[in-house]
């Protein structure tokens, strides 16, 4: 009976869909009347032609109204068929039958991204409720910081106590900082005996010692690595790998003469290196400040990935981003509440949500496009994936990584191969960043990569449990908000005017409503035109007695 029960359910919000469609009908009627009024005035009014009524204010306001109408029309696609989902991880097969998972965490600058916070994210990922031999955590240090390397070693030492403690007592908050700083933490309440409290106290002391050692190392600049010259000019850096779960430190080679493509480039390096070491079929990608808040997120994602009805076309399972440092007022909307409460639920009722850059479990083969067919020539594979024969072998379904689980490091040959995969020149004359892996054509690599996946026929789902599966740090000041908003807006509009414009490239490759949703995000930066027009023109016209609306 358990095998026949569904592992997830999809609930269509029929009442919301009906109300949304009725509202769209009424609103569109009003917009048509407004546009007709503007057009008829500009084309037929003799006062305008003779010059008694200035035409420029009318044109500017009309342009603002057209832009708002265009954006509003695209937005209605989100409200066409909103859905919610329920998952039943208890109906999954035994843990030993679940597939392996790789976890990717990227960091760059320890000054902007405090290394202690990054290590808490790393430790929380290692403490996921998953079989240790099937969990592999990869950290990309794009700044080549000796402090981050030192933090990795210290985090591993502390995790050797923290991970068994979490699994023994069923701790529900896998991040040590969040667990120990919580004033009302019910984790392990059923074990509140002398033995549990003593072990908790011991682990807490170890955590305080871990933080103290790290603060000391921070003041001393971490550990020295004489081969490093600067965060933008350094060779490949490697560290010992360890098991239970596997923890891998990767710092790719970066040279000023070679473009590094920021986060997308770092993730593609992790994709190649992990393919050689663990080659797990599923990957969890996290921002360095987005720690795991629930140890069962992997099981929830597997409820979808292991469903034979949707799994063949399912690329990724997206979880919402939640933040622990935002006040209830949230005056800058750092929590992006409308996106994760309305937009993604609407997308989920179509072909699936967009790729949000973090908090998602994705299928590895979704990154490889159509280049891993059984009958494809080896030379074509090399043209697409680069010169590494070992990595090309990893593309096969029967490939088994040869990394020893009882050793603490890679063999010399394997280490040389991973250094080749992480070199700055490896992607030259290949399809990486163009058709393979995360795409480089925009600074919003997550949006563009997810869009192309959907165009290739992949689908996605949105899973929003009541308890946040991941918690991160949101922006809390105007400067950071403007920097972040500028990056998003410029990247999205860059896609809008490129050959991948959702309204041109999308409709022939995906549903029209899904392409409308992508277009809404891409063209939303044009909103500034309406803001400026309505923030200036009507007030000036009022002061000068220029009519803009019917009496």
């Amino acid at each position: 009976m358990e095998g026949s029960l569904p592992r997830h359910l999809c609930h269509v919000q029929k009442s919301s869909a009906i109300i949304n469609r009725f509202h769209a009908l009424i609103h569109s009627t009003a917009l048509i009347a407004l546009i007709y009024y503007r057009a008829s005035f500009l084309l037929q009014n003799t006062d305008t032609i003779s010059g008694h009524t200035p035409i420029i204010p009318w044109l500017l306001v009309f342009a603002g109204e057209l832009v708002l109408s265009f954006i509003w029309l695209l937005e209605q696609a989100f409200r066409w068929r909103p859905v919610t989902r329920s998952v039943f991880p208890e109906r999954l097969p035994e843990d030993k039958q679940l597939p392996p998972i790789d976890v990717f965490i990227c960091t760059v600058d320890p000054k902007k991204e405090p290394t202690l916070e990054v290590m808490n994210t790393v430790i929380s990922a290692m403490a996921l409720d998953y079989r240790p031999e099937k969990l592999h955590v990869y950290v990309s240090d794009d700044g080549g910081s000796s402090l981050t390397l030192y933090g990795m070693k210290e985090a591993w030492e502390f995790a050797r106590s923290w991970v068994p403690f979490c699994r023994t007592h069923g701790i529900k908050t896998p991040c040590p900082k969040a667990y120990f700083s919580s004033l009302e933490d019910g984790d392990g309440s059923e074990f509140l005996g002398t033995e549990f409290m003593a072990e908790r106290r011991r682990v807490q002391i170890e955590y305080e010692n871990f933080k103290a050692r790290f603060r000391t190392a921070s003041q001393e600049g971490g550990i020295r690595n004489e081969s490093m010259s600067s965060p933008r000019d350094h060779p490949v850096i490697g560290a010992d790998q360890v098991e239970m779960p596997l923890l891998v430190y990767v710092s790719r080679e970066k040279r000023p003469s070679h473009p590094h493509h920021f986060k997308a480039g770092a993730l593609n390096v992790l994709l190649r290196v992990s393919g050689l070491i663990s080659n797990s079929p599923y990957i969890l990608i996290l921002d360095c400040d987005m720690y795991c808040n629930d140890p069962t997120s992997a099981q929830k994602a597997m409820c979808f990935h292991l469903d034979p009805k949707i799994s063949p076309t399912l690329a990724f399972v997206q979880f919402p981003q939640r933040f622990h440092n935002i006040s209830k007022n949230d005056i800058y909307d750092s929590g992006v509440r409308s996106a994760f409460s309305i937009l993604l639920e609407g997308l989920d009722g179509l072909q699936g949500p967009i790729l949000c850059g973090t908090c998602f479990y994705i299928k590895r083969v979704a990154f490889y496009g159509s280049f891993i067919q059984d009958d494809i020539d080896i030379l074509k594979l090399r043209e697409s994936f680069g010169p590494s024969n070992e990595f090309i072998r990893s593309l096969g379904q029967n490939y088994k990584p040869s990394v020893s689980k009882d050793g603490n490091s890679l063999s010399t040959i394997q280490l040389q191969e991973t250094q080749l995969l992480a070199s700055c020149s490896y992607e030259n004359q290949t399809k990486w960043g163009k058709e393979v892996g995360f795409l480089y054509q925009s600074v919003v690599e997550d949006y563009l990569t997810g869009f192309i996946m959907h165009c290739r026929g992949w689908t996605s789902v949105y899973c929003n449990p009541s308890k946040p599966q991941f918690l991160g740090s949101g922006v809390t000041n105007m400067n950071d908000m403007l920097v972040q908003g500028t990056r998003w807006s410029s990247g999205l509009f860059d896609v809008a005017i490129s050959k991948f414009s959702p309204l041109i490239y999308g409709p022939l490759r995906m549903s029209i409503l899904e392409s409308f949703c992508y277009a809404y995000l891409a063209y939303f930066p044009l909103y500034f035109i309406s803001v400026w027009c309505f923030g200036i023109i009507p007030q000036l016209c009022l002061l000068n007695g220029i009519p803009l609306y019917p009496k």
Side-chain angles (χ1 to χ4, degrees):
M1 287 295 294
E2 289 185 2
S4 62
L5 293 174
R7 294 165 184 165
H8 63 90
L9 293 175
C10 179
H11 313 279
V12 180
Q13 302 176 29
K14 294 182 179 180
S15 58
S16 296
I18 293 173
I19 293 173
N20 291 339
R21 295 175 188 183
F22 183 69
H23 171 265
L25 177 63
I26 296 176
H27 194 88
S28 59
T29 304
L31 286 180
I32 292 172
L34 175 62
I35 293 173
Y36 174 79
Y37 170 73
R38 293 288 184 212
S40 62
F41 180 88
L42 293 172
L43 295 176
Q44 302 175 10
N45 194 290
T46 57
D47 290 340
T48 301
I49 298 175
S50 61
H52 291 97
T53 300
I55 191 174
I56 293 180
W58 273 76
L59 290 175
L60 291 175
V61 170
F62 191 28
E65 291 168 345
L66 288 177
V67 170
L68 279 182
S69 300
F70 173 66
I71 294 176
W72 175 85
L73 176 63
L74 297 176
E75 188 182 13
Q76 299 319 296
F78 291 101
R79 293 168 169 78
W80 191 254
R81 187 178 178 268
V83 302
T84 56
R85 297 183 185 269
S86 303
V87 292
F88 308 98
E90 65 275 6
R91 298 175 183 175
L92 287 171
E94 297 179 0
D95 290 349
K96 63 181 180 180
Q97 299 179 13
L98 296 179
I101 292 176
D102 292 342
V103 183
F104 292 175
I105 301 171
C106 294
T107 184
V108 180
D109 188 351
K111 295 181 180 178
K112 296 180 180 179
E113 302 162 345
T115 308
L116 187 59
E117 304 296 326
V118 177
M119 293 307 113
N120 270 278
T121 301
V122 172
I123 295 169
S124 71
M126 296 176 68
L128 287 173
D129 186 14
Y130 217 74
R131 288 183 71 93
E133 67 274 15
K134 294 190 174 186
L135 185 62
H136 320 94
V137 181
Y138 294 82
V139 178
S140 170
D141 177 17
D142 232 18
S145 169
S146 61
L147 185 60
T148 304
L149 178 57
Y150 175 79
M152 284 279 291
K153 294 183 176 181
E154 289 292 334
W156 163 249
E157 290 298 327
F158 171 71
R160 297 178 68 174
S161 298
W162 174 250
V163 172
F165 171 73
C166 291
R167 290 177 177 157
T168 300
H169 300 289
I171 302 301
K172 302 301 181 184
T173 306
C175 176
K177 178 182 178 181
Y179 178 75
F180 290 124
S181 62
S182 177
L183 298 178
E184 289 185 47
D185 194 343
D187 285 353
S189 57
E190 65 272 27
F191 300 101
L192 288 181
T194 305
E195 182 179 353
F196 169 77
M197 294 302 294
E199 187 170 359
R200 171 173 173 165
R201 180 59 180 165
R202 177 187 63 80
V203 175
Q204 187 172 8
I205 292 174
E206 287 192 25
Y207 180 64
E208 295 299 326
N209 292 337
F210 158 66
K211 292 195 298 182
R213 290 193 303 271
F214 188 80
R215 291 193 191 98
T216 302
S218 300
Q219 296 172 357
E220 297 175 354
I223 57 176
R224 291 187 58 80
N225 190 322
E226 300 297 339
S227 65
M228 297 164 65
S229 52
S230 74
R232 295 187 179 182
D233 186 8
H234 60 79
V236 178
I237 306 168
D240 288 344
Q241 327 303 333
V242 291
E243 66 171 356
M244 208 186 81
L246 190 70
L247 179 62
V248 183
Y249 172 90
V250 178
S251 185
R252 60 176 171 149
E253 181 185 23
K254 294 172 71 175
R255 303 297 182 190
S257 57
H258 291 77
H260 55 79
H261 302 294
F262 305 100
K263 181 181 177 182
L267 287 171
N268 282 342
V269 168
L270 289 183
L271 196 60
R272 295 193 294 270
V273 171
S274 65
L276 202 66
I277 297 176
S278 54
N279 202 36
S280 299
Y282 299 99
I283 301 170
L284 166 62
I285 296 183
L286 295 174
D287 282 345
C288 62
D289 62 345
M290 189 69 65
Y291 66 80
C292 301
N293 190 56
D294 189 324
T296 63
S297 64
Q299 284 87 341
K300 292 181 174 67
M302 289 304 119
C303 288
F304 301 101
H305 277 303
L306 299 183
D307 183 350
K309 295 181 180 179
I310 66 173
S311 181
T313 60
L314 180 63
F316 61 91
V317 178
Q318 179 68 60
F319 289 89
Q321 299 178 32
R322 304 298 184 195
F323 305 95
H324 60 80
N325 64 328
I326 297 177
S327 65
K328 294 182 179 180
N329 296 327
D330 191 14
I331 59 176
Y332 300 124
D333 190 29
S334 299
V336 201
R337 290 165 293 181
S338 62
F340 293 110
S341 301
I342 298 176
L343 302 188
L344 291 193
E345 288 185 356
L347 274 165
D348 200 16
L350 303 175
Q351 197 173 335
I354 64 171
L355 204 61
C356 293
T358 182
C359 307
F360 61 90
Y361 286 84
I362 190 167
K363 195 174 293 180
R364 181 181 290 269
V365 295
F367 287 112
Y368 296 155
S370 58
F371 298 102
I372 53 174
Q373 302 172 2
D374 294 336
D375 57 345
I376 196 167
D377 183 66
I378 187 67
L379 294 178
K380 292 184 177 180
L381 286 176
R382 291 174 66 90
E383 291 175 359
S384 300
F385 296 97
S388 173
N389 292 327
E390 190 66 22
F391 179 75
I392 292 176
R393 285 183 55 224
S394 74
L395 302 176
Q397 296 181 355
N398 298 324
Y399 178 79
K400 301 262 187 206
S402 57
V403 176
S404 174
K405 289 291 183 180
D406 57 0
N408 289 328
S409 63
L410 300 171
S411 67
T412 302
I413 297 177
Q414 292 166 338
L415 184 58
Q416 290 176 349
E417 197 71 16
T418 56
Q419 289 178 336
L420 170 65
L421 294 170
S423 63
C424 62
S425 60
Y426 182 83
E427 296 180 353
N428 294 346
Q429 309 301 320
T430 69
K431 302 289 187 181
W432 284 100
K434 301 172 185 175
E435 299 178 52
V436 175
F438 281 92
L439 305 184
Y440 297 153
Q441 288 90 337
S442 173
V443 294
V444 285
E445 72 288 329
D446 46 357
Y447 168 89
L448 180 58
T449 302
F451 173 67
I452 296 301
M453 285 182 180
H454 281 131
C455 288
R456 290 171 177 168
W458 291 100
T459 61
S460 57
V461 299
Y462 180 55
C463 185
N464 186 13
S466 56
K467 179 181 179 181
Q469 301 299 286
F470 307 95
L471 285 175
S473 300
V475 295
T476 55
N477 61 76
M478 177 67 76
N479 183 62
D480 290 345
M481 187 271 292
L482 290 174
V483 171
Q484 184 183 74
T486 301
R487 175 184 172 273
W488 288 349
S489 298
S490 61
L492 289 170
F493 192 67
D494 190 32
V495 176
I497 60 177
S498 71
K499 67 177 182 179
F500 298 115
S501 174
L503 292 181
I504 299 175
Y505 191 85
L508 298 177
R509 297 170 174 86
M510 61 170 63
S511 70
I512 186 68
L513 292 178
E514 183 83 6
S515 62
F516 272 23
C517 292
Y518 272 101
Y520 167 79
L521 297 172
Y523 288 100
F524 187 80
L526 293 178
Y527 192 83
F528 85 93
I529 296 176
S530 302
V531 171
W532 279 101
C533 288
F534 288 113
I536 297 175
I537 304 302
Q539 292 81 347
L540 293 178
C541 290
L542 178 65
L543 293 175
N544 290 276
I546 301 174
L548 290 175
Y549 301 96
K551 294 182 179 180

